Amino acid sequence: MHRFDEQMGREAVDAVLSYAARRLRLDPAPLDGPLTPGEIADAAGPTITPGGLGLTAALEVYGDVLAPACLTTDHPRYLSFIPCAPTVEAAAFDVVVGSSSIYGGSWLEGAGAIHAENEALRWIADLVGMPASAGGVFVPGGTIGNLSALVAARHTARANAAPGTPRPWRVAATYGSHSSIQSALDVMDGEVVPVPVDERWRLTGPALRAVLEANDPATFFAVVATCGTTNFGIVDDLASVAEVCREYGLWFHVDGAYGGAGLAAPSVRPLYAGVEYADSFIVDPHKWLFAPFDCCALIYRDPATAQAAHTQKAGYLDVLTDAPQWNPTDYSVGLTRRARGLPLWFSLAVYGTDAYVRGIERTLEVAAFAEAEITRRPYTELLRERDLSVVVFRRIGWGPQDYHEWSNALLADEFAFVVPTVHDGETVTRFAVVNPRTTEADISAILDTMA
Ligand SMILES: *Cc1c(COP(=O)(O)O)cnc(C)c1O
């Protein structure tokens, strides 16, 4: 199977790469939509067989049955959750990464790739305002990024805890923080202590101080602030939170999985004041930085703390861990890693960072348009003024059933993907605009369907 047969090898490479090329050139690709398990099984037939389907049939079943049963997350009217809108360069370069058998965990094995990834990480660290000594790693997503950062935070706090004091196990965060924070603390057998938000629904220093004082500050090892909550795109008051973290000697983690990209946009950059004090920071380039899945940049102010927490030790790894070079795998949960930062790096290298600034500003323009339209139309109303590129709104007079039926119909028509969300028990809906190809006309056309 692995022996390279001149003709078979060429056929497989040509067929698969030309499929990828056709897919990359679709503009726009159809939205597509899910089928039931039975529908897919019937249409695909058995695919794993003792004799194999052969190249042509396997590719056909993928292209004709399986691929159309997957939503196109970079469709301009896919506005649910947080979409993914890679540049064509980033998406195409993922094919190169996949075809190059690169091990991205250690400098010894992946030096060239790791150099490139670190350049991309440095751009992000500079946007945050972190010192030259900062560093990190690209991990699969914000969930693993948050978990890895919090494991490093706890390791550091426990190493520094005075003898005889409790080993801290708590994290302070708001209800608006992402579900992955609770998930991380579940994995770590820790606890999230909720902090009430201010009138703008933000985490602030004074509220944080009150919660710490009411719960014994020594039991906490970190505070999680969010710059761009998932549901509303809210940026917490990072400066006042940072100050309280400093006062109590607590690790300050900033979750910018979605909103971190806004650091590059001058029009919203002032919202992030204080982010430069973060001990750890994450942003998902697969969200608003135009990279394909799966990609989260995780950066530490002092990488040595993370290295101490995460380096795996074993005789078969000594040759790597004893070396002085940068081994990305030592900075997160996980060992084997794909050089998943390369598609972002390639696209950044091709376009330059100014193009990213323009791309992000463009999505903010469209989000501002959506906000104005929702305010202007008599049948829609905003829940909260937007900070970034997420706009949450209600259709006046609708109940949960109306939202679900409307959303299902949009998808059934392959017109748009806009799902309901819930805030304070009320079903509403939202637009998350991270795709520079989403236009004002797309927004208007979707709002028209609610009239
Ligand atoms: C999306 C998101 C996460 C989780 O990221 P994944 O890449 O989905 O694991 C964490 N925090 C915030 C604020 C997010 O928006």
Side-chain angles (χ1 to χ4, degrees), residues 195-409:
V195 183
V197 291
D198 72 355
E199 73 291 347
R200 297 268 303 140
W201 307 357
R202 302 173 312 162
L203 173 64
T204 64
L208 172 62
R209 183 183 289 108
V211 163
L212 294 174
E213 285 303 327
N215 290 278
D216 183 4
T219 62
F220 289 81
F221 65 85
V223 173
V224 176
T226 311
C227 58
T229 59
T230 316
N231 215 14
F232 279 87
I234 296 166
V235 182
D236 287 334
D237 181 18
L238 304 176
S240 71
V241 173
E243 205 179 297
V244 173
C245 288
R246 225 175 15 251
E247 188 182 320
Y248 288 90
L250 285 172
W251 183 289
F252 178 36
H253 175 63
V254 178
D255 178 355
Y258 150 63
L263 285 166
S267 67
V268 292
R269 181 62 178 80
L271 290 172
Y272 298 80
V275 68
E276 63 276 17
Y277 299 111
D279 292 299
S280 52
F281 173 86
I282 65 159
V283 58
D284 277 356
H286 69 221
K287 284 179 172 168
W288 200 9
L289 279 178
F290 320 137
F293 299 128
D294 48 8
C295 189
C296 167
L298 162 62
I299 304 178
Y300 302 93
R301 167 174 302 276
D302 177 3
T305 56
Q307 192 184 25
H310 287 295
T311 303
Q312 295 188 24
K313 305 270 173 35
Y316 43 82
L317 295 175
D318 283 351
V319 64
L320 303 177
T321 44
D322 290 348
Q325 289 93 357
W326 190 265
N327 294 321
T329 203
D330 292 348
Y331 299 90
S332 71
V333 174
L335 182 65
T336 295
R337 71 177 290 275
R338 165 183 170 80
R340 62 170 58 80
L342 284 183
L344 170 69
W345 165 79
F346 183 69
S347 182
L348 274 170
V350 168
Y351 283 110
T353 57
D354 288 352
Y356 277 69
V357 174
R358 288 193 295 273
I360 295 162
E361 289 287 10
R362 172 67 189 137
T363 59
L364 287 163
E365 255 172 49
V366 172
F369 172 84
E371 189 174 58
E373 270 305 286
I374 287 159
T375 309
R376 188 184 70 75
R377 295 184 183 222
Y379 53 88
T380 48
E381 127 186 303
L382 282 182
L383 265 78
R384 177 191 184 275
E385 256 177 60
R386 136 202 95 83
D387 282 358
L388 302 174
S389 68
V390 174
V391 184
V392 187
F393 62 103
R394 63 170 65 86
R395 164 65 170 83
I396 296 166
W398 276 12
Q401 182 80 5
D402 301 304
Y403 286 100
H404 285 283
E405 282 171 7
W406 165 77
S407 172
N408 292 341

Side-chain angles (χ1 to χ4, degrees), residues 32 36 167 197 231 266 295 353 421 443:
D32 294 328
T36 66
R167 289 154 59 81
V197 291
N231 215 14
C295 189
T353 57
T421 188
I443 298 293

